[in-house]
Amino acid sequence: MEGENQKSKSSRFLKYWFTTGKHKKPDPCYPNNEISDGDDYESENFLGKVLSQSVDMGPCKLTNELRIFVGTWNVAGRSPIGSLAVDLDDWLNLKDAADLYVLGFQEIVPLKTRTVVGAEDTTKATNWNLLIGKILNDKYGCPWLTPTMMNEATGDGDYTRNTDLKRPMRFAGGDQTPIKFQGRIPANRVMGGSRYVLLASKKMVGVFISVWIRRDLVRKYYISNVKVCSVACGIMGYLGNKGSVSVSMSIEGTSFCFVAAHLASGEKKGDERRRNHQVSEIFRRTFFARSPKDDEYPNPHHPPLTILGHDQIFWFGDLNYRLYLEDSFARQLIKKQDWEALQGFDQLRKEQEAGGVFQGWREGNIEFAPTYKYSSSNCNRYSGGPLRRTGEKQRTPAWCDRILWYGKGVRQLSYFRSESKFSDHRPVSAQFLAQIDLLETTNPRVIALSKFLPSIPSPKQTEKGETNEESKSTLAALMVKDREESSPCLRNS
């Protein structure tokens, strides 16, 4: 009799607790009106009905947000130098640090015959990665553990969370291969040694992409299917002086594609159609091959094969679209800083409106001066114009360097240029908030509910003398065990 009274009291408390919202932290999957339905519940069966209802109501879609920095910079064939650190610091906007840094470069080598048709040399890409890693990590007082880039790897490979920090992490294949630390480094030093780690990197002649992620997020999220692809569509349609390098990856249940591109130059009439054609070729020829390991991941969807198969896509680079405007008029509008009027003549916007390229894609409002072409390094004057110097190229200033995106769950926070005089282009960057879908467990509602359930001892537990706290611990342990057994990604964490 005493056990029945205790059970009845606990059930009445539970009913009050749920219907009045007197719990510490309501689960987003469980609005109060879904749990409480008035007096239809009998107090004795209330807990059992709540638990069974939580199973029947289906899965709850949980989401989170990532801050993503996307940047593009044509460096005019110049090698990275130590003094460039200040310019990189400004470009990467480290005062407002991101979770993911995706950097696209063009012309990291001079576009000469020997570099275009000769064997691929990854030295410049390695040097850029070393400098980027140093800037990202030194900013936060983390000593950068200088990596040694190994020989070129073959195949794309995948990157998944590696909980054994004494082994080198696996990165996407291609031209940049895993970082190996010299000697055996204790786990605490690796964790404290750098805040950002290289996730993927790919080079094709002068086009280069480098993706960095906060180290703690490698632990927090399930990252899979990291793959790279390059498409050469320059001279004769198949040389690498123009084209793209792309990275495909999944973070939890959301797939991302990052495309760094360098399109055909020229401001003659009809050059825009060449650029449009190269965009079509990149869409058509970019392919992320599947591997047998793809079926092992807990993500219920197969990894995308093409660019448009991804949930969220970012396309950036020296796209080379110019202005449909005479040079003198363009310079007048630039002097007035009338960016709205100048955008009315922007070639890329016009081509989008006409349906020639990037239909349905988005770009932030441009509120900065054209980024190309400056007279020379260490100069703030556009090339050509009334003050044109002998031998200087006549070029109408234009927004050649752009960042576009496609997909749901993306919100742009900023879009700006930096003022480095390192090359004849100014670097451009954008910050985004991207929503990601968290991978679902077999029964997330019951697991979430278990966080808030008070302990209710059964008559058998009461007879055995088991305390409320012991009962609660037993219930939580069983639920966690069930969750781990049903989710491969949690077993690996």
Side-chain angles (χ1 to χ4, degrees):
M1 187 70 180
E2 185 178 348
E4 290 179 1
N5 289 336
Q6 185 175 3
K7 181 179 179 182
S8 179
K9 289 179 182 179
S10 299
S11 298
R12 285 197 297 273
F13 168 73
L14 267 175
K15 184 175 179 181
Y16 168 78
W17 185 67
F18 276 118
T19 56
T20 58
K22 300 295 184 181
H23 37 294
K24 296 179 182 178
K25 192 175 181 182
D27 190 279
C29 303
Y30 252 120
N32 289 336
N33 60 358
E34 289 187 17
I35 295 178
S36 174
D37 226 349
D39 296 327
D40 293 338
Y41 293 106
E42 296 180 8
S43 59
E44 289 80 3
N45 298 324
F46 179 73
L47 178 59
K49 288 186 176 183
V50 167
L51 290 175
S52 63
Q53 186 187 34
S54 72
V55 176
D56 296 338
M57 288 172 66
C60 174
K61 196 171 187 180
L62 301 177
T63 63
N64 210 337
E65 283 187 327
L66 284 180
R67 182 181 288 266
I68 301 177
F69 177 101
V70 178
T72 177
W73 194 3
N74 185 320
V75 294
R78 299 189 65 190
S79 300
I81 54 178
S83 60
L84 190 59
V86 176
D87 293 349
L88 273 176
D89 188 289
D90 175 62
W91 179 40
L92 299 180
N93 191 28
L94 294 175
K95 294 177 182 178
D96 192 12
D99 300 316
L100 193 70
Y101 281 88
V102 185
L103 309 178
F105 296 85
Q106 304 80 44
E107 298 188 41
I108 66 168
V109 297
L111 299 183
K112 299 178 180 179
T113 303
R114 62 182 178 84
T115 57
V116 174
V117 301
E120 195 73 75
D121 182 1
T122 61
T123 304
K124 294 290 182 67
T126 299
N127 291 339
W128 276 106
N129 274 335
L130 287 170
L131 183 58
I132 294 166
K134 185 178 189 303
I135 298 300
L136 286 176
N137 290 292
D138 281 1
K139 182 70 177 180
Y140 299 98
C142 302
W144 173 242
L145 299 176
T146 304
T148 301
M149 292 294 179
M150 307 302 290
N151 294 330
E152 179 177 291
T154 57
D156 289 339
D158 293 335
Y159 172 82
T160 55
R161 293 194 300 185
N162 184 350
T163 57
D164 183 1
L165 293 176
K166 294 182 181 179
R167 296 182 299 169
M169 290 188 171
R170 293 179 56 207
F171 296 95
D175 294 322
Q176 296 305 310
T177 54
I179 292 178
K180 282 194 175 181
F181 297 101
Q182 300 291 339
R184 187 182 177 97
I185 299 175
N188 61 344
R189 278 192 60 199
V190 175
M191 284 301 293
S194 57
R195 182 175 181 181
Y196 291 91
V197 293
L198 180 64
L199 185 59
S201 178
K202 176 69 175 173
K203 172 187 178 294
M204 181 192 71
V205 187
V207 190
F208 172 57
I209 189 170
S210 183
V211 181
W212 297 74
I213 189 169
R214 268 177 40 205
R215 181 180 286 274
D216 60 301
L217 297 185
V218 177
R219 293 285 197 179
K220 182 177 180 180
Y221 297 126
Y222 192 85
I223 303 171
S224 60
N225 305 312
V226 182
K227 298 175 181 176
V228 295
C229 179
S230 60
V231 173
C233 51
I235 300 170
M236 299 183 293
Y238 284 95
L239 290 185
N241 60 308
K242 294 293 188 290
S244 69
V245 289
S246 306
V247 171
S248 170
M249 59 190 290
S250 293
I251 301 180
E252 293 284 322
T254 301
S255 58
F256 292 86
C257 186
F258 302 100
V259 183
H262 191 188
L263 304 182
S265 60
E267 55 184 27
K268 299 189 300 294
K269 186 177 181 180
D271 284 340
E272 69 276 11
R273 290 194 292 273
R274 293 170 54 214
R275 292 186 267 275
N276 294 353
H277 175 71
Q278 288 179 344
V279 170
S280 299
E281 283 293 287
I282 292 169
F283 275 121
R284 184 177 69 86
R285 291 162 52 191
T286 299
F287 184 80
F288 302 101
R290 285 188 181 144
S291 68
K293 291 184 178 180
D294 291 342
D295 295 329
E296 299 175 7
Y297 299 123
N299 194 334
H301 306 292
H302 283 292
L305 297 176
T306 63
I307 292 174
L308 291 175
H310 292 77
D311 298 316
Q312 298 177 8
I313 313 164
F314 300 84
W315 188 304
F316 48 100
D318 181 1
L319 307 188
N320 255 321
Y321 286 95
R322 308 304 173 94
L323 295 174
Y324 289 123
L325 190 63
E326 291 291 333
D327 180 79
S328 58
F329 293 120
R331 292 175 189 266
Q332 288 177 21
L333 291 176
I334 292 170
K335 189 174 182 180
K336 295 177 182 178
Q337 297 187 10
D338 192 345
W339 311 134
E340 184 177 356
L342 200 62
Q343 284 181 68
F345 301 95
D346 178 65
Q347 200 174 77
L348 177 54
R349 298 281 172 97
K350 292 290 186 182
E351 290 299 307
Q352 283 185 282
E353 292 170 4
V357 71
F358 290 120
Q359 289 182 307
W361 287 64
R362 301 180 64 188
E363 181 184 20
N365 190 39
I366 302 175
E367 297 180 345
F368 50 83
T371 54
Y372 175 83
K373 170 181 173 62
Y374 284 87
S375 179
S376 62
S377 59
N378 297 318
C379 181
N380 265 334
R381 183 178 60 83
Y382 288 110
S383 181
L387 302 177
R388 180 181 178 184
R389 296 173 182 172
T390 304
E392 189 175 76
K393 292 182 179 181
Q394 174 63 42
R395 294 289 185 270
T396 301
W399 288 297
C400 290
D401 309 280
R402 312 290 279 269
I403 300 172
L404 296 88
W405 78 92
Y406 185 87
K408 296 179 180 179
V410 179
R411 179 163 62 92
Q412 189 179 72
L413 302 176
S414 61
Y415 193 24
F416 56 94
R417 62 171 250 174
S418 298
E419 299 306 320
S420 171
K421 301 174 185 177
F422 185 70
S423 81
D424 56 355
H425 288 252
R426 295 297 180 258
V428 172
S429 55
Q431 287 215 38
F432 300 90
L433 274 183
Q435 182 176 287
I436 60 171
D437 295 332
L438 302 182
L439 289 172
E440 299 168 352
T441 61
T442 305
N443 187 5
R445 291 178 180 272
V446 173
I447 301 303
L449 185 62
S450 69
K451 297 177 183 178
F452 313 113
L453 286 177
S455 56
I456 302 177
S458 66
K460 290 184 179 180
Q461 290 171 332
T462 305
E463 290 172 7
K464 292 179 182 179
E466 186 174 354
T467 65
N468 286 352
E469 280 302 312
E470 289 171 343
S471 174
K472 185 176 180 180
S473 300
T474 302
L475 176 63
L478 287 172
M479 288 182 168
V480 169
K481 182 180 179 182
D482 176 68
R483 185 180 185 220
E484 290 177 345
E485 290 175 350
S486 62
S487 177
C489 64
L490 289 176
R491 287 202 302 269
N492 294 332
S493 60

